[in-house]
Amino acid sequence: MILRLIYPKWNKLEGQTHFNLPPLGPSVMAAALPGDVTVDFIDENVQELNFDEPADLVGISVMITAQIKRGWEIASEYRARGKQVIFGGVATMLHAEETMLHADSVFLGEAESRMEEVIEDFRRGQLKKLYNFMPHPPDIGIVGPARRDILNQELYYHKGIRMVDLFQASRGCRFSCYPCAVSFLGGRNFRPRPFDKVAEELATIDNNRLFVVDNSLAQDRDWLKDLFRMMIPFKKNWCSHTIDDDPEVLDLAAQAGAWYVYQAVIDSSDFIRERIKRYHDYGIAVEATVLLGLDNQSEDDILRLIDFLLEVNLDLAEFTVMTPFRHTKAWDDMERDGRIFDRDWNNYNAGRVVFKPLKMSPDRLQELYHYAWEQFYRDETQEQKMFKLIMRVIERERKLGTYQPPRKDLAGVSFGKQVDR
Amino acid sequence: MPSLCGIQIRKMDNRMLVILTELYEQNPGSSVTGLIGSVAGEVVKHYGIPPETAVFIVHNPERSAHHEFFAETFYFAHMKWDGEKYSYPEWEKTGEESFEF
């Protein structure tokens, strides 16, 4: 049986250098499938989708809201050809009711120990309209290595340089932040994977560079220290979301290969300034993730914030506009106040203003978003800054003896397409 | 998805005030705001409240946080009752003083 598993394309952020990372969700789902299912994976961001290629069942895996409408289009095309289509992934959970109108089946929740039932139902011609396992996440101990073999790895190179592989040591998040939907997604409890499972998966990844995609590395200090101690012998280099701001944790993180962290910067406080400095003190670079358009931000606040970012010696910055994703407190608050004016999910890519900000017009916020990108990268482009980060990691890899030179045969290729060198 | 919220019902003149409180982290599912039509319908059926007398208020309690987004808020949810469920919510910001007695 062939499961054609599709990861729909979406419009990337304007102004940002476009990179495509190998997605984790489809690989995690594939690992939960019965062994006799052949997975034919297509990442539409880097591959053309041919609807005539063989498929017994079509799976559509959607991570972000901006993918969902394209997912529905793909489903429509396959269903017109008589194929059954099942949706899963984060954005399916956020848009479940709408997606049920476009699918033969919708899967909500985590895949481990659930896919046998789904595939068996399909084989008997009794695929259910809805599989809702959100209230009952699986035992985290049964989560095994993701099946990265379903990915065509050569498509995730930019001019010979391999992109990071995504990796997860825990699920869930005990925080419940204003713009974030993780708490709705069954993630309210921090669920660390057993270390033997983490080690087993790390050993399967032949990429020296990882993105540890855990929602936060600041949830359990003791666990974090043990995790980093366990990771040291693997000699990986990795980026991640925020790491617990504790000297011992940061020291262990650096030893375990912390390359750079995404640090949310929402104001120009000394707290943020000092935190960035501490990361740097431990040799960890910082990419600021800057959310513009929060209700407490005025135009002046945003302009001051951009100046601050230029001052504090950041390695990279990524700007997004506040976006009220479904099932977040941001959505609820703005919905009640009638402030959401755009419900086209294609525009929910965090680069388009879809709501009325409290202290400026939507157009002004959109202008400030573009201005922020331009100002931050006016003296050194994003690609130049990234190159510096790459040079840092190469230096570390050379010291560790793990350096893998860029692929010469892919020097003129970016994500599967020929480009100028 | 099972969801939880706080419910307080107060009789006020000839109306029944139904105050639905968001529980944030203690709620494993959707918010009251997201499910207001279904929740309101369940409440009137379960407590035998005449739908035409029910007034719904969504309460977001203050939460310990750095940001003002978690300030305490109250909203009236004005909805249409079709005999089975409520729908088409329209929201009106209010304060506790409007239903204190």
Side-chain angles (χ1 to χ4, degrees):
Chain A
M1 172 190 158
I2 298 172
L3 171 68
R4 175 150 253 222
L5 184 57
I6 299 161
Y7 192 63
K9 63 186 171 188
W10 74 92
N11 293 325
K12 307 295 188 301
L13 288 179
E14 284 179 45
Q16 197 186 18
T17 307
H18 293 174
F19 289 102
N20 294 288
L21 303 183
L24 183 62
S27 310
V28 168
M29 191 281 255
L33 286 165
D36 58 346
V37 176
T38 300
V39 180
D40 175 19
F41 177 68
I42 302 289
D43 177 352
E44 230 200 340
N45 296 282
V46 291
Q47 289 166 280
E48 290 297 319
L49 175 56
N50 179 349
F51 290 95
D52 293 323
E53 285 173 355
D56 295 306
L57 174 65
V58 175
I60 298 184
S61 173
V62 278
M63 177 182 68
I64 64 170
T65 289
Q67 284 177 289
I68 195 81
K69 283 179 67 179
R70 176 60 188 156
W72 297 342
E73 284 174 10
I74 294 168
S76 171
E77 191 69 37
Y78 273 113
R79 294 175 87 197
R81 291 159 191 252
K83 302 291 181 191
Q84 286 198 292
V85 178
I86 182 168
F87 276 74
V90 166
T92 301
M93 291 187 255
L94 297 182
H95 298 273
E97 288 170 0
E98 296 166 276
T99 300
M100 285 177 76
L101 303 174
H102 301 272
D104 297 288
S105 181
V106 163
F107 182 95
L108 310 178
E110 298 175 16
E112 289 82 9
S113 81
R114 310 298 191 192
M115 297 316 296
E116 289 84 358
E117 177 187 337
V118 174
I119 296 299
E120 185 54 32
D121 285 352
F122 169 73
R123 284 178 162 146
R124 286 189 286 116
Q126 294 176 359
L127 198 61
K128 295 184 184 76
K129 188 73 185 165
L130 174 67
Y131 295 89
N132 183 3
F133 295 109
M134 284 179 74
H136 307 291
D139 173 5
I140 193 75
I142 67 167
V143 176
R147 271 195 57 194
R148 294 178 179 80
D149 62 294
I150 67 165
L151 306 168
N152 181 349
Q153 293 288 357
E154 292 204 345
L155 296 173
Y156 301 100
Y157 279 76
H158 173 64
K159 297 183 179 177
I161 296 173
R162 187 175 179 179
M163 294 295 105
V164 293
D165 259 292
L166 275 53
F167 170 78
Q168 196 172 38
S170 68
R171 291 181 182 172
C173 185
R174 67 183 173 86
F175 304 114
S176 184
C177 298
Y178 183 70
C180 181
V182 167
S183 57
F184 167 75
L185 298 166
R188 234 167 229 118
N189 297 316
F190 172 59
R191 295 157 58 217
R193 295 175 67 188
F195 288 129
D196 61 330
K197 293 284 187 180
V198 176
E200 180 191 354
E201 178 151 1
L202 279 173
T204 68
I205 305 173
D206 64 352
N207 192 343
N208 287 337
R209 300 171 195 166
L210 304 178
F211 180 177
V212 179
V213 295
D214 296 42
N215 296 300
S216 163
L217 289 178
Q219 304 203 62
D220 181 326
R221 191 166 287 177
D222 290 336
W223 175 80
L224 208 50
K225 288 181 204 168
D226 289 341
L227 173 72
F228 293 153
R229 286 188 192 104
M230 185 275 294
M231 288 176 73
I232 291 169
F234 287 95
K235 299 181 179 178
K236 303 286 188 188
N237 288 288
W238 43 271
C239 55
S240 72
H241 298 298
T242 308
I243 301 173
D244 192 3
D245 188 2
D246 169 82
E248 192 184 355
V249 170
L250 290 176
D251 181 47
L252 284 166
Q255 291 182 54
W259 172 20
Y260 66 95
V261 296
Y262 292 92
Q263 171 64 51
V265 177
I266 55 171
D267 59 38
S268 52
S269 64
D270 286 343
F271 173 81
I272 296 287
R273 187 189 300 270
E274 285 159 16
R275 178 169 276 203
I276 291 166
K277 183 178 177 305
R278 272 194 295 278
Y279 283 130
H280 282 159
D281 288 346
Y282 287 93
I284 302 168
V286 181
E287 174 163 359
T289 49
V290 189
L291 190 54
L292 304 176
L294 295 167
D295 281 356
N296 61 349
Q297 282 176 336
S298 66
E299 289 186 40
D300 282 348
D301 290 331
I302 291 179
L303 293 170
R304 270 197 299 273
L305 187 57
I306 296 166
D307 288 343
F308 172 79
L309 296 172
L310 290 165
E311 256 177 60
V312 291
N313 197 25
L314 283 162
D315 301 276
L316 281 172
E318 179 184 83
F319 299 91
T320 52
V321 288
M322 173 68 211
T323 305
F325 292 105
R326 290 300 318 273
H327 298 289
T328 63
K329 189 164 190 308
W331 172 274
D332 285 349
D333 287 355
M334 291 184 191
E335 175 74 353
R336 283 192 305 261
D337 288 340
R339 293 167 58 195
I340 299 171
F341 63 79
D342 184 345
R343 289 162 198 260
D344 180 344
W345 304 131
N346 283 347
N347 293 334
Y348 281 60
N349 66 352
R352 295 267 192 99
V353 181
V354 297
F355 74 104
K356 295 175 193 155
L358 215 52
K359 297 190 176 179
M360 67 198 86
S361 70
D363 287 346
R364 183 61 181 144
L365 176 57
Q366 193 70 65
E367 285 169 11
L368 286 169
Y369 163 77
H370 293 299
Y371 176 79
W373 279 105
E374 287 160 16
Q375 280 300 299
F376 188 81
Y377 291 107
R378 72 185 170 200
D379 295 330
E380 197 172 37
T381 66
Q382 191 180 24
E383 204 153 346
Q384 286 168 330
K385 284 182 183 286
M386 283 180 171
F387 181 73
K388 281 186 176 174
L389 273 182
I390 294 279
M391 292 314 290
R392 276 172 79 152
V393 84
I394 287 173
E395 193 182 323
R396 287 166 72 159
E397 287 168 346
R398 283 194 165 131
K399 279 184 194 157
L400 291 166
T402 60
Y403 175 61
Q404 296 167 346
R407 288 262 305 260
K408 285 185 181 162
D409 58 323
L410 296 176
V413 179
S414 178
F415 306 109
K417 293 191 175 130
Q418 294 293 321
V419 290
D420 294 335
R421 288 190 183 193
Chain B
M1 186 76 179
S3 304
L4 289 174
C5 69
I7 301 175
Q8 190 182 124
I9 301 170
R10 299 181 186 180
K11 193 162 191 307
M12 193 174 179
D13 303 326
N14 57 351
R15 294 177 301 162
M16 298 297 281
L17 293 187
V18 180
I19 302 165
L20 303 165
T21 300
E22 295 283 6
L23 297 181
Y24 302 133
E25 288 87 347
Q26 281 71 49
N27 172 15
S30 295
S31 64
V32 176
T33 301
L35 288 176
I36 185 64
S38 319
V39 177
E42 289 292 321
V43 168
V44 295
K45 283 180 204 161
H46 186 84
Y47 294 100
I49 299 170
E52 63 281 6
T53 68
V55 175
F56 295 96
I57 294 165
V58 173
H59 172 215
N60 284 264
E62 185 178 358
R63 226 178 64 143
S64 173
H66 293 299
H67 310 299
E68 62 195 49
F69 326 116
F70 291 88
E72 183 173 52
T73 59
F74 294 91
Y75 282 81
F76 285 118
H78 305 294
M79 291 174 283
K80 290 193 168 54
W81 172 254
D82 67 3
E84 273 299 310
K85 63 180 189 309
Y86 289 96
S87 49
Y88 306 111
E90 288 185 7
W91 302 92
E92 180 192 354
K93 197 165 190 173
T94 185
E96 200 167 4
E97 68 284 352
S98 65
F99 52 89
E100 272 182 339
F101 59 98

